Amino acid sequence: MNYNKKSVEDIDVSGKRVLCRCDFNVPIKGGVITSDKRIVAALPTIEYLVKHGAKVILCSHMGKPKGEYKPELSLQVVADRLSELLGQTVIMAKDVAGEDAQAKAAALQDGQVMLLENTRFEKGETKNDPELSKKLASLADIFVNDAFGTAHRAHSSTAGVADYLPAVCGYLIQKEIGIMGKALADPERPFVAILGGAKVSDKLNVINNLLEKVDTLIIGGGMAYTFLAAKGYSVGSSLLDNEKIDYCKEMMAKAEAKGVKLLLPVDTYVGASFPNPIDAEIEVKNVAADAMPEGMMGLDIGDETRKLFAEAAKSAKTVVWNGPMGVFENPTLAQGTIAVAKALAESDAVTIVGGGDSAAACEQLGFADKITHISTGGGASLEFLEGLELPGIACLQDK
């Protein structure tokens, strides 16, 4: 996949109507936005367009309304917050690409900003329906995609419109593909990848692709127990992808053949099977020496493993991390994930954290400003690490 894409700076936007796809899928409770992080992240691109005299037409999805109007998923709250952040009124359309949106888009002056209603109020959005893509494209002269979080989805507002308009990326996507693209194509070495999360099956292709690129691959979280079982260790009642044991054996053989260090937990905190209350009794077991009893499951990496993983991260020049090391929702079982986040924060390497739980861990712990790049898209960053082509980026013009 070519990551060298044209950006807003490579196209003349002055006096043009610009349709800009953002990620305004923000958390809302009782009609109030609880985190405006995604809105703030979109500001550099929007401000560039305003400053350069574009007529700005923003669009985004929110939640899963499944093709019908749901007042609780209206983007009006986003328009209100954006108006405050931009210091100018953001005009709200009553529909996605219907009469109201068309009239308001036609009346826009240079430097004005409007927001279309939730794109997923239209049934055609998630089907990438050409009719909806055409309607959206008819509102504008140029398409800018700045929604990395949905770049792995081929929807009308993320990819379809690019069939009918010249398409470039905004600053957010430019940063994502610049940093992550370089890490995968031409990393400073040693290059270390840390994978966690519950299931091996979610990360099959990621493991396979990263083994082609990294010097060290670290595996923690629930998925580690399938690897440990594949090595012949007893894992009690831990999470296990029985059908993936042969795959794990293949991956360990591949790592050996390629001279890639594959690090697995050497000790693990175990406790009774779920649910795990905060004060659940846990004890540490050495993976090789202590057989894990039935009815007990691995819930977090042990102290020796934390040291081992942290040392590998600190000796790297590039680190990519995706997925927690234990049951991160439980503070007692979050210590392994915290140890990895801390190691990244203290490392001199280029550190990249794929969205989701890993990003949440860095933010909650106050390490976010010490990480080179925290991806705005969990699913998109995973597909990126798999080496897949992301439709919302593939559709943009090459430099």
Side-chain angles (χ1 to χ4, degrees), residues 6 69 78 111 118 192 233-235 273 365 377-378 386:
K6 282 189 182 171
Y69 177 80
V78 174
N118 189 338
V192 176
Y233 296 129
S234 78
V235 296
S273 306
L365 299 163
E386 276 183 49

Side-chain angles (χ1 to χ4, degrees), residues 193-195 207 217-221 223-224 227 262-265 309 325:
I194 306 170
L195 293 179
I207 295 167
L217 180 61
I218 294 175
I219 294 180
M223 61 193 281
F227 276 89
L262 181 68
L263 299 182
L264 294 165
F309 289 5
M325 296 292 109

Side-chain angles (χ1 to χ4, degrees), residues 152-225:
H152 58 311
R153 306 253 181 258
H155 292 171
S156 281
S157 70
T158 59
V161 286
D163 290 342
Y164 309 100
L165 289 175
V168 299
C169 65
Y171 288 123
L172 250 185
I173 281 194
Q174 186 181 37
K175 186 180 173 197
E176 293 272 5
I177 59 183
I179 295 177
M180 288 173 68
K182 175 166 186 335
L184 292 179
D186 181 25
E188 272 198 71
R189 296 186 179 277
F191 178 18
V192 176
I194 306 170
L195 293 179
K199 293 191 188 134
V200 176
S201 51
D202 293 343
K203 308 251 162 91
L204 292 178
N205 303 337
V206 180
I207 295 167
N208 200 7
N209 190 41
L210 286 175
L211 282 175
E212 302 284 343
K213 302 177 188 293
V214 300
D215 300 295
T216 302
L217 180 61
I218 294 175
I219 294 180
M223 61 193 281
Y225 300 104

Side-chain angles (χ1 to χ4, degrees), residues 307-339:
K307 279 185 210 147
L308 177 74
F309 289 5
E311 276 162 22
K314 284 183 186 170
S315 65
K317 286 275 187 284
T318 306
V319 187
V320 172
W321 174 32
N322 186 295
M325 296 292 109
V327 186
F328 178 67
E329 312 77 76
N330 183 334
T332 317
L333 304 170
Q335 298 308 311
T337 305
I338 290 170

Side-chain angles (χ1 to χ4, degrees), residues 284-321:
V284 74
K285 294 274 185 195
N286 179 293
V287 168
D290 307 318
M292 219 185 276
E294 274 308 312
M296 298 295 263
M297 65 192 308
L299 300 166
D300 193 12
I301 54 173
D303 304 327
E304 290 307 310
T305 305
R306 289 170 199 175
K307 279 185 210 147
L308 177 74
F309 289 5
E311 276 162 22
K314 284 183 186 170
S315 65
K317 286 275 187 284
T318 306
V319 187
V320 172
W321 174 32

